Amino acid sequence: MSILIIEAFYGGSHKQLVDLLQEELEYCVLYTLPAKKWHWRARTSALYFSQNIPTSEHYRILFASSVLNLTELAALRPDLGKLKKILYFHENQLVYPVKKCQERDFQYGYNQILSCLVADVVVFNSVFNMESFLTSIGKFMKLIPDHRPKDLESIIRPKCQVIYFPIRFPDVSRFMPKHKAAHLQKILSLKGNGGVAPSMALPFQQEQRGSENLLKNFDSESGSCDATQQENLGGSVRQESYLKTFSSSDNSSTHHGEHKQNPCNILAGADDQQRPLHIVWPHRWLEAVYCGCYPLCPKDLVYPEIFPAEYLYSTPEQLSKRLQNFCKGPDIVRKHLYKGEIAPFSWAALHGKFRSLLTAEPREDL
């Protein structure tokens, strides 16, 4: 029970991460609040946790997402303030899309800056997330009418590091065309940036725990695999066209005399030029590509950091042209083998970094 994990917004990727850490690491205890009323969680969760987390001499590490106002919690609970405090950023409020600048609530970003000042280690899920936060601090603080604090970026930056969001990939090879399944095994077998040794390259049995519903999530998170879905993040044009194309088959199977669509065929691939491609918004990209999808992403935000240049577009016109070419030649997608890296984003590659991160450092006041 040496690691205290606090999640003020226990849902989605926030839940996925802390559940994984609690399951895979020893001596963790988790305290959460439901994933609703996000604004109120950011405003008041510190006071709630200060009253509901029991005092313990066994805590050595405090790990929390940036939804929590870590400064308030440390002040309200000095015993927790003495711990090694790790703050994890899934997103940051300094650049999170809003329709108009006037609609950005200053307090949320300000709270995150204060939390960084109090934290011992600040972890971001991408270089883009880290740099967009740090380089925006100066401009953001100019919103204060006078007596502005100075040099905050230089104070916070030395504490910062990037650890990508870890994914436990299930074995989906049985749902994929043979050439894509063989390619998947090959790229996961290579020793990549995350230091994935061949013996760890296909941790399907280990990583399948907690990931069995990945295929179901294509329906539950994106609504349907048969339609294009858009997510409006503040009306930003660059956020409106995040699409993926991938091959599918319309084969059906007979069961008790009835013809039923096989949902697994959505990832199975097909050679028939008459069968249409499907365009989806799967919400979880790094998982979608793993399952055989062809990524088509804007040359913006975090995407250039994750995907090779050939999968990026700069304008809506480029996107339209790419989709037209795919429609004219479906085999371009169906036979394509992904040229990027997947292994460095797996829990097998990242678990060592998280273990090191969550190791207590001896301090006189502990």
Side-chain angles (χ1 to χ4, degrees):
M1 201 169 66
S2 63
I3 303 174
L4 172 62
I5 301 177
I6 301 176
E7 180 49 67
F9 194 78
Y10 187 58
S13 60
H14 292 235
K15 180 180 187 299
Q16 186 177 337
L17 176 61
V18 296
D19 283 352
L20 177 61
L21 295 179
Q22 186 182 38
E23 181 177 340
E24 295 289 343
L25 303 179
E26 300 82 12
Y27 311 115
C28 292
V29 59
L30 176 63
Y31 288 90
T32 68
L33 282 171
K36 59 182 181 180
K37 303 184 185 301
W38 176 90
H39 299 86
W40 285 106
R41 297 291 183 256
R43 291 185 181 113
T44 66
S45 61
L47 178 57
Y48 171 83
F49 286 123
S50 72
Q51 294 182 335
N52 288 274
I53 296 178
T55 302
S56 173
E57 297 180 355
H58 299 290
Y59 298 142
R60 291 293 180 269
I61 304 285
L62 192 163
F63 180 94
S65 75
S66 60
V67 176
L68 175 71
N69 189 323
L70 188 58
T71 306
E72 291 180 348
L73 181 63
L76 292 167
R77 286 286 301 271
D79 59 317
L80 301 182
K82 293 179 181 180
L83 306 181
K84 177 184 176 184
K85 298 173 290 299
I86 302 169
L87 193 67
Y88 192 88
F89 276 73
H90 293 263
E91 65 284 314
N92 77 78
Q93 292 301 311
L94 302 192
V95 299
Y96 198 83
V98 292
K99 291 183 179 180
K100 297 179 181 179
C101 183
Q102 294 87 339
E103 294 180 2
R104 187 182 302 280
D105 192 316
F106 179 83
Q107 194 65 41
Y108 301 132
Y110 183 68
N111 288 351
Q112 288 189 330
I113 292 172
L114 291 179
S115 292
C116 288
L117 292 171
V118 169
D120 297 296
V121 182
V122 182
V123 184
F124 293 84
N125 61 357
S126 69
V127 174
F128 170 81
N129 194 13
M130 180 178 70
E131 290 299 327
S132 65
F133 178 80
L134 292 173
T135 58
S136 296
I137 291 175
K139 180 180 178 180
F140 183 81
M141 298 305 286
K142 288 182 180 179
L143 295 173
I144 301 175
D146 55 15
H147 300 288
R148 304 183 186 101
K150 299 178 181 179
D151 303 322
L152 297 183
E153 178 184 348
S154 62
I155 297 172
I156 295 173
R157 183 175 285 276
K159 304 180 180 185
C160 297
Q161 60 177 281
V162 173
I163 303 181
Y164 287 107
F165 187 94
I167 301 171
R168 287 192 298 195
F169 292 115
D171 182 2
V172 296
S173 58
R174 63 191 183 278
F175 301 116
M176 301 173 69
K178 291 183 179 179
H179 71 288
K180 289 196 174 186
H183 180 66
L184 177 65
Q185 181 172 353
K186 179 180 178 181
I187 62 177
L188 286 178
S189 297
L190 296 176
K191 187 172 182 179
N193 294 335
V196 184
S199 62
M200 298 176 61
L202 289 175
F204 288 142
Q205 280 69 38
Q206 297 98 325
E207 297 199 351
Q208 193 163 5
R209 293 172 299 167
S211 302
E212 297 85 351
N213 294 325
L214 175 61
L215 297 178
K216 295 180 181 178
N217 288 341
F218 277 104
D219 288 326
S220 64
E221 294 192 13
S222 65
S224 171
C225 286
D226 295 326
T228 300
Q229 300 213 5
Q230 301 291 337
E231 180 174 288
N232 180 12
L233 294 179
S236 173
V237 172
R238 67 185 184 183
Q239 301 262 3
E240 290 176 352
S241 299
Y242 296 170
L243 304 174
K244 272 196 179 64
T245 62
F246 67 101
S247 56
S248 70
S249 168
D250 289 332
N251 292 336
S252 58
S253 58
T254 303
H255 181 65
H256 296 301
E258 296 181 359
H259 292 277
K260 295 186 177 181
Q261 179 74 16
N262 182 356
C264 297
N265 285 337
I266 211 72
L267 300 175
D271 295 325
D272 190 343
Q273 290 284 333
Q274 301 302 315
R275 289 174 179 159
L277 294 173
H278 291 74
I279 302 173
V280 299
W281 165 248
H283 190 59
R284 299 298 178 204
W285 288 71
L286 296 170
E287 291 95 328
V289 172
Y290 170 84
C291 290
C293 297
Y294 185 107
L296 194 51
C297 322
K299 192 176 182 179
D300 202 355
L301 305 174
V302 73
Y303 297 101
E305 183 181 338
I306 298 176
F307 298 107
E310 69 177 272
Y311 303 109
L312 308 178
Y313 63 87
S314 299
T315 65
E317 291 74 20
Q318 290 181 0
L319 171 63
S320 178
K321 185 176 181 180
R322 294 285 297 276
L323 292 176
Q324 289 180 36
N325 290 336
F326 291 157
C327 291
K328 292 177 182 177
D331 278 356
I332 297 175
V333 173
R334 291 187 172 128
K335 295 183 178 180
H336 179 79
L337 298 178
Y338 180 61
K339 298 179 182 179
E341 295 186 84
I342 295 177
F345 302 97
S346 70
W347 172 247
L350 294 169
H351 79 283
K353 292 184 177 181
F354 277 97
R355 286 184 182 277
S356 297
L357 177 71
L358 295 171
T359 299
E361 300 175 352
R363 287 170 49 178
E364 295 180 358
D365 53 354
L366 288 182

